[in-house]
Amino acid sequence: MRLALRLILAVLLADLSLTAFANGGGGMSMPSTSTPHLESPQQKARDAYNDGVRSVKKADKAQQAAAEATDAGKKDKAAHEAHDAYAAALTKFTEATGLDPTLHEAWNYVGYTNRKLGNYDDALAAYNKALAIRPGYPDALEYRGEAYLGLGRIPDAQQAYLDLYAGNRALAGKLLGAMKSWSAAQRSSPSTSSAPNLDELDKWIQERTQIASQTAALTREGTAASWR
């Protein structure tokens, strides 16, 4: 009798054990040693930032194609492609700053894409964010200088050039080139071609170009002398 009871209990216990494993009960008896990979907000921000950079490259390429196109239809098509790509990039960079507000590169590109879309005030606000996080950030200084030009704030653009020239002459040269192009574009517009401040700006650009050339020549001479 006792032997029969033991056999019955053994069968019942075995049946319960199999049922538990079939329902996943075995996995719940102890914590799993492996956990699914979860990205941090900073990692997600970097992913969004990289997506935005890819869209910016596409937009810049389309904008260049629009500038070089001689056919009106192709020019218009490329311009629309550039606009849409800049808008897509802005969405990604805005997402990145929402996930990681300390990502100064993303703020810089929020400014860049806004400027390309003609939103100059929003661009300035974004550049200021980038510079608040990383004071003296050269890329933001240069881009902000171009935004100042878009708003007609010539003295601010000139100061941006001087700030850059002290620490990054390559970007300073880029901004000076943008100032030349902006002045030429203003002169080609009937409403602004006779603006008196354009003459003053062109004179200032010429003076700064001469100073930059002379400084570069002295730097080359000094470098050559150091090797003698």
Side-chain angles (χ1 to χ4, degrees), residues 82-88 90 111-120:
H83 180 278
D84 290 346
Y86 282 129
L90 175 58
Y112 180 83
T113 48
N114 266 309
R115 177 166 60 84
K116 290 295 186 177
L117 292 168
N119 308 323
Y120 294 107

Side-chain angles (χ1 to χ4, degrees), residues 167-182:
N168 193 313
R169 291 183 183 176
L171 285 179
K174 180 182 177 183
L175 179 55
L176 196 65
M179 295 170 81
K180 291 178 183 177
S181 298
W182 182 84

Side-chain angles (χ1 to χ4, degrees), residues 106-142:
W107 281 113
N108 187 44
Y109 267 123
V110 168
Y112 180 83
T113 48
N114 266 309
R115 177 166 60 84
K116 290 295 186 177
L117 292 168
N119 308 323
Y120 294 107
D121 288 327
D122 290 338
L124 284 179
Y127 294 138
N128 289 337
K129 281 273 192 180
L131 289 165
I133 298 166
R134 185 176 175 184
Y137 184 39
D139 296 76
L141 288 173
E142 196 279 322

Side-chain angles (χ1 to χ4, degrees), residues 23 27 87 153 166:
N23 293 331
R153 293 169 56 174

Side-chain angles (χ1 to χ4, degrees), residues 63-127:
Q63 186 182 58
Q64 185 64 30
E68 296 174 353
T70 55
D71 179 78
K74 291 181 179 179
K75 181 182 287 290
D76 186 62
K77 180 181 178 182
H80 277 89
E81 289 177 356
H83 180 278
D84 290 346
Y86 282 129
L90 175 58
T91 298
K92 286 297 181 180
F93 293 130
T94 302
E95 178 185 347
T97 58
L99 290 164
D100 184 2
T102 67
L103 196 60
H104 64 276
E105 300 98 332
W107 281 113
N108 187 44
Y109 267 123
V110 168
Y112 180 83
T113 48
N114 266 309
R115 177 166 60 84
K116 290 295 186 177
L117 292 168
N119 308 323
Y120 294 107
D121 288 327
D122 290 338
L124 284 179
Y127 294 138

Side-chain angles (χ1 to χ4, degrees), residues 1-226:
M1 186 69 175
R2 290 180 180 176
L3 180 60
L5 287 172
R6 288 177 183 175
L7 289 172
I8 292 171
L9 286 172
V11 170
L12 289 172
L13 287 172
D15 184 61
L16 286 172
S17 178
L18 289 172
T19 303
F21 275 101
N23 293 331
M28 295 187 65
S29 62
M30 60 185 300
S32 173
T33 56
S34 60
T35 56
H37 175 67
L38 297 175
E39 284 190 330
S40 67
Q42 290 75 18
Q43 289 171 318
K44 290 180 180 179
R46 282 289 176 183
D47 289 342
Y49 172 82
N50 289 332
D51 288 341
V53 170
R54 282 188 283 271
S55 291
V56 160
K57 290 180 179 179
K58 179 181 177 182
D60 287 344
K61 185 177 180 180
Q63 186 182 58
Q64 185 64 30
E68 296 174 353
T70 55
D71 179 78
K74 291 181 179 179
K75 181 182 287 290
D76 186 62
K77 180 181 178 182
H80 277 89
E81 289 177 356
H83 180 278
D84 290 346
Y86 282 129
L90 175 58
T91 298
K92 286 297 181 180
F93 293 130
T94 302
E95 178 185 347
T97 58
L99 290 164
D100 184 2
T102 67
L103 196 60
H104 64 276
E105 300 98 332
W107 281 113
N108 187 44
Y109 267 123
V110 168
Y112 180 83
T113 48
N114 266 309
R115 177 166 60 84
K116 290 295 186 177
L117 292 168
N119 308 323
Y120 294 107
D121 288 327
D122 290 338
L124 284 179
Y127 294 138
N128 289 337
K129 281 273 192 180
L131 289 165
I133 298 166
R134 185 176 175 184
Y137 184 39
D139 296 76
L141 288 173
E142 196 279 322
Y143 287 154
R144 188 172 66 175
E146 293 195 40
Y148 285 143
L149 287 175
L151 291 168
R153 293 169 56 174
I154 294 175
D156 289 325
Q158 290 171 318
Q159 186 59 52
Y161 170 84
L162 295 174
D163 292 340
L164 273 172
Y165 190 76
N168 193 313
R169 291 183 183 176
L171 285 179
K174 180 182 177 183
L175 179 55
L176 196 65
M179 295 170 81
K180 291 178 183 177
S181 298
W182 182 84
S183 179
Q186 295 299 302
R187 288 190 180 283
S188 66
S189 174
S191 61
T192 58
S193 60
S194 60
N197 58 348
L198 289 179
D199 291 336
E200 296 176 7
L201 176 60
D202 287 342
K203 181 180 178 181
W204 184 89
I205 290 172
Q206 185 178 10
E207 291 173 350
R208 296 308 311 183
T209 301
Q210 291 174 349
I211 291 171
S213 297
Q214 292 168 359
T215 304
L218 289 172
T219 301
R220 285 195 296 270
E221 289 177 5
T223 301
S226 67

